[in-house]
Amino acid sequence: MGEHKITSTGSMAWSAEAGDDTREMMFVFHRGAQTFALPPTSVAEVLGQLEVTPVPFAPGWIEGVVGVRGDVVPVLALQTYFGLGKAEAVASRRLVVIRHEAHTLAVWADRIVGVEAVEVGAFEPPLGNLPEAMLKVCRSHFRMNETVVHCLDLGLLLTESRARVVAG
Amino acid sequence: MRFIRNLSLKWKLFGSAALVMALITLVMLSYYPASQNRALADGLRAKVTAVATMLSSSLAPAVQFQQMAGVEEIFGGAAKDAELKAVRVEDMEGKRLAGLKDDSMVQVLKPTSGETPDIVFEEELLQVALLIEAGGAAVGVLRMTYVLDSFREQAAQVWTMSLIISLAIFVIGSGMMFAVGSRIAKPVLRMTSSFHHMAAGDLKQEPLVVTSDDEIGTLGKAYNDLLQQLRSLSDHARSISEGDLTRSIEVQGDLADAFRAMAATFTEIARRFDELSSSLDDRTANILTTTKQQEAGAAEEASTVSEVTATMGELAATARQIASNAESVTHSAEATATTVGQGRTALSTFVGSISDIQQGNKVINDNIVQLNRHVQQIGGIIDIINNIADRSDLLALNAALEGTKAGEAGKGFLLVAGEMRRLAENVFNSTAEIKQLIGEVTEATNATVMATESGMKSTKRGVELAQETERAFERIVDTIEQTTQASKQISVATQQQHTATDQIVSAMGEVSEVAQQSLEGIRQTASSVAELSNMASQLRKMIGRFKVRREA
């Protein structure tokens, strides 16, 4: 895999080339030992600490629900869902509210890197050694300062998670 | 005779047998040849008588009638006899009528009978003369001469044979007697040798092998019995010499009785010695124990006396030192009284200074407490700033997201949001540093407050101690005055003590010398008793070698 330039914008800077066609903007955040990326358009908003209400008889990877501006949004425990073990709660964590079509979901981020401009050529197919549940919803991956960033397909994630809920 | 007595038995038997055989030989040689000669002569005489009688009767008619023709035929048979040397026939006047062979050698022998010829044995010849009778009257004389060579030869052969037979009887008889004598003498010689060994004290020889019941066999059995008895007594004597007095003597006799008596006497002596040595051993052990106790006591006494002497010497030296020190104490007490007065003045000044320090510490402590309170307020403000920065970061992040969604139109908005996030992060870092500094300041002020409070307590305690020291100084002055008086009295008392201890040291020296002499005497006694105990032990050990039957 070759080296591809990634213009780190995030909270620090915004590249003048952010709008060109050779780059794609990605919302990057850390959770546990993994780093994930989502399209910024699918991120509704980022919130601070909120109290999560547990849902009885919900699967283990549904941590509970939160109230976001009048809506009840389920909180998905990404690590548990992907079979990567239970992630520890970090004091400075953020709740990322993501939306796809009419569905809304929230996931915890230990630290948010920001919105990054990634060269289109930097994207590569998902790594083959990922857990099955993660491989199903992982669209591609790229490297950022030697860190592997897994790009999640939000539509697949919502569809799969709903299918697992239905399947019980 | 002495030589004969010293000869051995077999030679004596052989000599006796040889003497008897010699006598028998002599008798045979003197009797047998003579009888044989007589028998030969009788035979010859009978033969000659028969021949003469036959010829006389045959010749009688011819001689009566003087008709001698044809007499050769009468002589015919006799003429063949080789021993017949000559035959001569004469008339009564001695005239030769006829003859045979060389009849000139026939000597004149006057016949006396016509029936029995007269026969005369000469050296080598036999002369025969017989009257020839016819009709009851003597008509002539018949003379014959025989040669005795054959007769003499036969006689000599008889003599030689007799001699040979006699010698053979002598040799064989003597040899048989020598063999018999040797057979009889051999066990006797063996017993003689054994008796010699026995007499020399050698009882290790083998018993004799007895194969007969005759006198020699009986003698051998008696010898074996004697050897067995002597061996048994020798074994008992050896057991006694090795100390075993428990063995019983099975053999009988005067010698065995004497041995039994000797063993009984030895047993009694051993028992008595054992009792005496045991008693002696016990008593010497008791004496030794007592002597060792005395020795230990005397040594302890000598040691104690030495220690007391040394202690008294040290006491005298100490008394001298005390007297000297008492004078020094007097001088020191006076100097101390002066110094204590100066100390009391300095102490008053010190108490004033301590009070000033205490007041200053109180002001510092109040200020530090106030400072700490302000620092805590700063910490609260920092938390507020931090909260604001956190919310700003969230807002900037959401603004960036909205800017991204707005596309080209939100580009500027996105830049501003980025700057805001950077500022928020700077605020985060700064507030973190301020919080760290506040923590350090709080720790320092707390430590200062504690140190100040500790200092205040110390200064308060210092003031109390100074006041207490001042009171102590007053008591010291009183004590110094008492010490001065007491040290003067001690000086006088120790002088007197020094004199008394010198006298005691001298007396203890004499006592120590006497104790040493007593200790030396007891040690010599203990050594002698130990030797005596050792000798008693050796005596018991020696007596212990004798095993005796214990009386019930």
Side-chain angles (χ1 to χ4, degrees), chain B residues 308-357:
Chain B
V308 169
T309 305
T311 305
M312 292 308 293
E314 290 173 4
L315 191 61
T318 307
R320 283 193 294 274
Q321 186 67 34
I322 289 169
S324 172
N325 290 345
E327 288 182 9
S328 298
V329 166
T330 305
H331 294 306
S332 299
E334 290 170 354
T336 305
T338 307
T339 307
V340 166
Q342 295 171 352
R344 288 178 69 183
T345 307
L347 193 61
S348 298
T349 309
F350 174 71
V351 170
S353 300
I354 287 287
S355 297
D356 295 341
I357 291 169

Short mmCIF file of all heavy atoms in Angstrom, two decimals, chain B residues 308-357:
data_model
loop_
_atom_site.label_atom_id
_atom_site.label_comp_id
_atom_site.label_asym_id
_atom_site.label_seq_id
_atom_site.Cartn_x
_atom_site.Cartn_y
_atom_site.Cartn_z
N VAL B 308 38.72 -10.46 96.01
CA VAL B 308 38.48 -9.46 97.08
C VAL B 308 39.70 -8.55 97.22
O VAL B 308 39.57 -7.32 97.35
CB VAL B 308 38.17 -10.19 98.42
CG1 VAL B 308 38.19 -9.21 99.57
CG2 VAL B 308 36.83 -10.87 98.33
N THR B 309 40.91 -9.18 97.15
CA THR B 309 42.13 -8.38 97.26
C THR B 309 42.20 -7.35 96.14
O THR B 309 42.49 -6.17 96.35
CB THR B 309 43.37 -9.31 97.20
OG1 THR B 309 43.21 -10.30 98.20
CG2 THR B 309 44.64 -8.53 97.44
N ALA B 310 41.92 -7.90 94.89
CA ALA B 310 41.95 -6.99 93.75
C ALA B 310 40.90 -5.89 93.91
O ALA B 310 41.16 -4.70 93.62
CB ALA B 310 41.71 -7.77 92.47
N THR B 311 39.71 -6.33 94.36
CA THR B 311 38.62 -5.36 94.52
C THR B 311 38.99 -4.29 95.57
O THR B 311 38.73 -3.09 95.39
CB THR B 311 37.33 -6.08 94.95
OG1 THR B 311 37.06 -7.10 94.01
CG2 THR B 311 36.16 -5.13 94.99
N MET B 312 39.61 -4.77 96.65
CA MET B 312 40.00 -3.82 97.70
C MET B 312 41.05 -2.85 97.15
O MET B 312 41.06 -1.66 97.48
CB MET B 312 40.55 -4.56 98.92
CG MET B 312 39.49 -5.38 99.68
SD MET B 312 38.01 -4.45 100.11
CE MET B 312 38.69 -3.31 101.28
N GLY B 313 41.98 -3.42 96.29
CA GLY B 313 42.97 -2.53 95.67
C GLY B 313 42.29 -1.49 94.81
O GLY B 313 42.63 -0.30 94.84
N GLU B 314 41.32 -2.00 94.01
CA GLU B 314 40.59 -1.06 93.16
C GLU B 314 39.82 -0.05 94.02
O GLU B 314 39.73 1.13 93.67
CB GLU B 314 39.60 -1.84 92.28
CG GLU B 314 40.28 -2.67 91.21
CD GLU B 314 39.29 -3.55 90.47
OE1 GLU B 314 38.08 -3.42 90.76
OE2 GLU B 314 39.72 -4.35 89.63
N LEU B 315 39.29 -0.57 95.15
CA LEU B 315 38.54 0.33 96.05
C LEU B 315 39.43 1.44 96.60
O LEU B 315 39.04 2.62 96.66
CB LEU B 315 37.95 -0.51 97.21
CG LEU B 315 36.94 0.19 98.10
CD1 LEU B 315 35.72 0.63 97.31
CD2 LEU B 315 36.49 -0.74 99.23
N ALA B 316 40.68 1.04 96.96
CA ALA B 316 41.61 2.04 97.47
C ALA B 316 41.92 3.08 96.40
O ALA B 316 41.94 4.29 96.65
CB ALA B 316 42.90 1.36 97.94
N ALA B 317 42.16 2.53 95.15
CA ALA B 317 42.44 3.46 94.05
C ALA B 317 41.25 4.36 93.79
O ALA B 317 41.39 5.57 93.55
CB ALA B 317 42.79 2.65 92.79
N THR B 318 40.03 3.71 93.84
CA THR B 318 38.82 4.49 93.61
C THR B 318 38.66 5.56 94.69
O THR B 318 38.25 6.70 94.41
CB THR B 318 37.60 3.55 93.62
OG1 THR B 318 37.83 2.49 92.69
CG2 THR B 318 36.35 4.28 93.20
N ALA B 319 38.99 5.20 95.92
CA ALA B 319 38.87 6.17 97.01
C ALA B 319 39.78 7.37 96.77
O ALA B 319 39.39 8.54 96.99
CB ALA B 319 39.22 5.49 98.34
N ARG B 320 41.00 7.04 96.30
CA ARG B 320 41.92 8.14 95.98
C ARG B 320 41.34 9.02 94.88
O ARG B 320 41.38 10.24 94.92
CB ARG B 320 43.28 7.59 95.56
CG ARG B 320 44.12 7.10 96.72
CD ARG B 320 45.56 6.87 96.29
NE ARG B 320 45.68 5.79 95.32
CZ ARG B 320 45.81 4.50 95.67
NH1 ARG B 320 45.84 4.16 96.96
NH2 ARG B 320 45.92 3.59 94.77
N GLN B 321 40.79 8.31 93.84
CA GLN B 321 40.23 9.04 92.72
C GLN B 321 39.04 9.88 93.17
O GLN B 321 38.87 11.02 92.74
CB GLN B 321 39.79 8.03 91.64
CG GLN B 321 39.32 8.66 90.34
CD GLN B 321 40.45 9.37 89.61
OE1 GLN B 321 41.58 8.92 89.66
NE2 GLN B 321 40.16 10.51 89.00
N ILE B 322 38.22 9.28 94.07
CA ILE B 322 37.04 10.00 94.57
C ILE B 322 37.47 11.26 95.32
O ILE B 322 36.89 12.34 95.16
CB ILE B 322 36.18 9.09 95.46
CG1 ILE B 322 35.48 8.02 94.59
CG2 ILE B 322 35.13 9.88 96.23
CD1 ILE B 322 34.82 6.93 95.40
N ALA B 323 38.52 11.10 96.13
CA ALA B 323 38.99 12.26 96.90
C ALA B 323 39.44 13.38 95.96
O ALA B 323 39.13 14.56 96.16
CB ALA B 323 40.14 11.83 97.81
N SER B 324 40.16 12.92 94.90
CA SER B 324 40.64 13.90 93.94
C SER B 324 39.47 14.56 93.21
O SER B 324 39.41 15.78 93.03
CB SER B 324 41.58 13.22 92.95
OG SER B 324 41.90 14.10 91.92
N ASN B 325 38.50 13.67 92.80
CA ASN B 325 37.34 14.17 92.07
C ASN B 325 36.49 15.09 92.94
O ASN B 325 35.89 16.05 92.45
CB ASN B 325 36.49 13.01 91.57
CG ASN B 325 37.18 12.24 90.46
OD1 ASN B 325 38.15 12.74 89.88
ND2 ASN B 325 36.74 11.04 90.18
N ALA B 326 36.42 14.76 94.23
CA ALA B 326 35.61 15.58 95.14
C ALA B 326 36.15 17.01 95.18
O ALA B 326 35.39 17.99 95.16
CB ALA B 326 35.60 14.97 96.53
N GLU B 327 37.46 17.13 95.17
CA GLU B 327 38.06 18.47 95.15
C GLU B 327 37.73 19.17 93.84
O GLU B 327 37.39 20.36 93.81
CB GLU B 327 39.57 18.37 95.32
CG GLU B 327 39.97 17.97 96.74
CD GLU B 327 41.48 17.92 96.91
OE1 GLU B 327 42.19 18.35 95.97
OE2 GLU B 327 41.93 17.42 97.94
N SER B 328 37.83 18.36 92.74
CA SER B 328 37.52 18.94 91.43
C SER B 328 36.06 19.37 91.38
O SER B 328 35.73 20.42 90.81
CB SER B 328 37.77 17.90 90.32
OG SER B 328 39.12 17.54 90.32
N VAL B 329 35.20 18.54 91.99
CA VAL B 329 33.77 18.86 92.01
C VAL B 329 33.54 20.17 92.74
O VAL B 329 32.74 21.01 92.31
CB VAL B 329 32.98 17.70 92.67
CG1 VAL B 329 31.56 18.13 93.02
CG2 VAL B 329 32.93 16.51 91.72
N THR B 330 34.24 20.36 93.82
CA THR B 330 34.09 21.60 94.59
C THR B 330 34.43 22.82 93.73
O THR B 330 33.68 23.80 93.65
CB THR B 330 35.02 21.57 95.82
OG1 THR B 330 34.74 20.38 96.56
CG2 THR B 330 34.78 22.78 96.71
N HIS B 331 35.58 22.70 93.03
CA HIS B 331 35.99 23.81 92.16
C HIS B 331 34.99 23.99 91.03
O HIS B 331 34.59 25.11 90.70
CB HIS B 331 37.38 23.53 91.57
CG HIS B 331 38.46 23.50 92.63
ND1 HIS B 331 38.67 24.54 93.53
CD2 HIS B 331 39.39 22.57 92.94
CE1 HIS B 331 39.66 24.25 94.34
NE2 HIS B 331 40.13 23.03 94.01
N SER B 332 34.55 22.83 90.43
CA SER B 332 33.61 22.92 89.30
C SER B 332 32.29 23.51 89.75
O SER B 332 31.66 24.29 89.02
CB SER B 332 33.36 21.53 88.72
OG SER B 332 34.56 20.99 88.23
N ALA B 333 31.83 23.14 90.95
CA ALA B 333 30.55 23.65 91.45
C ALA B 333 30.60 25.17 91.62
O ALA B 333 29.64 25.89 91.27
CB ALA B 333 30.22 22.97 92.78
N GLU B 334 31.70 25.65 92.07
CA GLU B 334 31.84 27.10 92.24
C GLU B 334 31.83 27.78 90.87
O GLU B 334 31.15 28.81 90.68
CB GLU B 334 33.14 27.42 92.99
CG GLU B 334 33.06 26.97 94.46
CD GLU B 334 34.40 27.07 95.16
OE1 GLU B 334 35.41 27.36 94.48
OE2 GLU B 334 34.43 26.83 96.38
N ALA B 335 32.56 27.16 89.90
CA ALA B 335 32.57 27.76 88.56
C ALA B 335 31.20 27.68 87.92
O ALA B 335 30.75 28.61 87.23
CB ALA B 335 33.60 27.02 87.69
N THR B 336 30.51 26.55 88.19
CA THR B 336 29.17 26.38 87.64
C THR B 336 28.20 27.42 88.18
O THR B 336 27.34 27.93 87.44
CB THR B 336 28.66 24.96 87.98
OG1 THR B 336 29.60 24.01 87.51
CG2 THR B 336 27.32 24.70 87.32
N ALA B 337 28.31 27.73 89.43
CA ALA B 337 27.43 28.74 90.04
C ALA B 337 27.57 30.07 89.30
O ALA B 337 26.57 30.75 88.99
CB ALA B 337 27.77 28.89 91.52
N THR B 338 28.80 30.41 88.95
CA THR B 338 29.04 31.66 88.21
C THR B 338 28.40 31.58 86.83
O THR B 338 27.69 32.49 86.37
CB THR B 338 30.55 31.92 88.07
OG1 THR B 338 31.12 31.86 89.37
CG2 THR B 338 30.82 33.27 87.45
N THR B 339 28.62 30.45 86.15
CA THR B 339 28.11 30.27 84.79
C THR B 339 26.59 30.26 84.77
O THR B 339 25.95 30.81 83.87
CB THR B 339 28.64 28.95 84.21
OG1 THR B 339 30.05 28.93 84.34
CG2 THR B 339 28.27 28.80 82.74
N VAL B 340 25.99 29.64 85.80
CA VAL B 340 24.54 29.58 85.88
C VAL B 340 23.94 30.98 85.99
O VAL B 340 22.91 31.28 85.38
CB VAL B 340 24.11 28.69 87.06
CG1 VAL B 340 22.64 28.87 87.39
CG2 VAL B 340 24.36 27.22 86.71
N GLY B 341 24.60 31.85 86.71
CA GLY B 341 24.13 33.23 86.82
C GLY B 341 24.11 33.91 85.46
O GLY B 341 23.12 34.57 85.09
N GLN B 342 25.18 33.71 84.68
CA GLN B 342 25.23 34.27 83.32
C GLN B 342 24.14 33.64 82.45
O GLN B 342 23.49 34.32 81.64
CB GLN B 342 26.60 33.99 82.71
CG GLN B 342 27.74 34.70 83.44
CD GLN B 342 29.10 34.23 82.95
OE1 GLN B 342 29.19 33.30 82.19
NE2 GLN B 342 30.15 34.90 83.44
N GLY B 343 23.93 32.33 82.62
CA GLY B 343 22.91 31.63 81.84
C GLY B 343 21.52 32.17 82.12
O GLY B 343 20.69 32.26 81.21
N ARG B 344 21.22 32.48 83.33
CA ARG B 344 19.89 33.00 83.68
C ARG B 344 19.61 34.31 82.93
O ARG B 344 18.53 34.53 82.42
CB ARG B 344 19.79 33.23 85.17
CG ARG B 344 19.70 31.92 85.95
CD ARG B 344 19.65 32.16 87.44
NE ARG B 344 18.39 32.76 87.85
CZ ARG B 344 18.09 33.12 89.08
NH1 ARG B 344 19.02 32.95 90.05
NH2 ARG B 344 16.95 33.66 89.40
N THR B 345 20.63 35.17 82.81
CA THR B 345 20.47 36.43 82.10
C THR B 345 20.21 36.16 80.62
O THR B 345 19.28 36.73 80.00
CB THR B 345 21.76 37.28 82.24
OG1 THR B 345 22.06 37.39 83.63
CG2 THR B 345 21.57 38.66 81.64
N ALA B 346 21.02 35.28 80.02
CA ALA B 346 20.86 34.96 78.59
C ALA B 346 19.51 34.33 78.33
O ALA B 346 18.88 34.56 77.29
CB ALA B 346 21.98 34.01 78.16
N LEU B 347 19.05 33.54 79.27
CA LEU B 347 17.78 32.86 79.10
C LEU B 347 16.61 33.84 79.06
O LEU B 347 15.67 33.66 78.28
CB LEU B 347 17.60 31.86 80.26
CG LEU B 347 16.48 30.85 80.09
CD1 LEU B 347 16.72 29.96 78.86
CD2 LEU B 347 16.38 29.97 81.33
N SER B 348 16.67 34.88 79.86
CA SER B 348 15.61 35.90 79.86
C SER B 348 15.53 36.55 78.49
O SER B 348 14.44 36.74 77.91
CB SER B 348 15.89 36.95 80.94
OG SER B 348 15.90 36.34 82.19
N THR B 349 16.70 36.87 77.92
CA THR B 349 16.75 37.47 76.58
C THR B 349 16.16 36.51 75.55
O THR B 349 15.39 36.89 74.66
CB THR B 349 18.22 37.79 76.21
OG1 THR B 349 18.79 38.53 77.28
CG2 THR B 349 18.29 38.58 74.92
N PHE B 350 16.50 35.22 75.68
CA PHE B 350 16.03 34.19 74.75
C PHE B 350 14.51 34.06 74.79
O PHE B 350 13.85 33.96 73.76
CB PHE B 350 16.70 32.85 75.13
CG PHE B 350 16.21 31.69 74.36
CD1 PHE B 350 16.53 31.53 73.01
CD2 PHE B 350 15.39 30.74 74.94
CE1 PHE B 350 16.07 30.47 72.29
CE2 PHE B 350 14.92 29.67 74.22
CZ PHE B 350 15.27 29.54 72.89
N VAL B 351 13.94 34.15 75.99
CA VAL B 351 12.49 34.03 76.14
C VAL B 351 11.78 35.18 75.41
O VAL B 351 10.77 34.99 74.72
CB VAL B 351 12.09 34.00 77.63
CG1 VAL B 351 10.58 34.13 77.81
CG2 VAL B 351 12.55 32.70 78.26
N GLY B 352 12.36 36.40 75.51
CA GLY B 352 11.77 37.55 74.81
C GLY B 352 11.80 37.33 73.30
O GLY B 352 10.80 37.60 72.60
N SER B 353 12.91 36.85 72.76
CA SER B 353 13.03 36.64 71.32
C SER B 353 12.04 35.59 70.83
O SER B 353 11.41 35.73 69.78
CB SER B 353 14.46 36.19 70.98
OG SER B 353 15.36 37.18 71.40
N ILE B 354 11.91 34.53 71.59
CA ILE B 354 10.99 33.45 71.22
C ILE B 354 9.55 33.98 71.15
O ILE B 354 8.78 33.64 70.24
CB ILE B 354 11.09 32.31 72.26
CG1 ILE B 354 12.41 31.54 72.09
CG2 ILE B 354 9.92 31.33 72.11
CD1 ILE B 354 12.49 30.65 70.89
N SER B 355 9.18 34.86 72.04
CA SER B 355 7.82 35.43 72.04
C SER B 355 7.59 36.25 70.78
O SER B 355 6.52 36.18 70.15
CB SER B 355 7.62 36.30 73.28
OG SER B 355 7.73 35.49 74.44
N ASP B 356 8.60 37.02 70.35
CA ASP B 356 8.50 37.78 69.10
C ASP B 356 8.30 36.85 67.91
O ASP B 356 7.47 37.10 67.03
CB ASP B 356 9.76 38.63 68.91
CG ASP B 356 9.89 39.71 70.00
OD1 ASP B 356 8.85 40.01 70.64
OD2 ASP B 356 11.00 40.21 70.19
N ILE B 357 9.08 35.75 67.86
CA ILE B 357 8.97 34.80 66.75
C ILE B 357 7.58 34.19 66.71
O ILE B 357 6.97 34.02 65.65
CB ILE B 357 10.04 33.70 66.91
CG1 ILE B 357 11.43 34.27 66.68
CG2 ILE B 357 9.80 32.54 65.94
CD1 ILE B 357 12.57 33.36 67.07
#
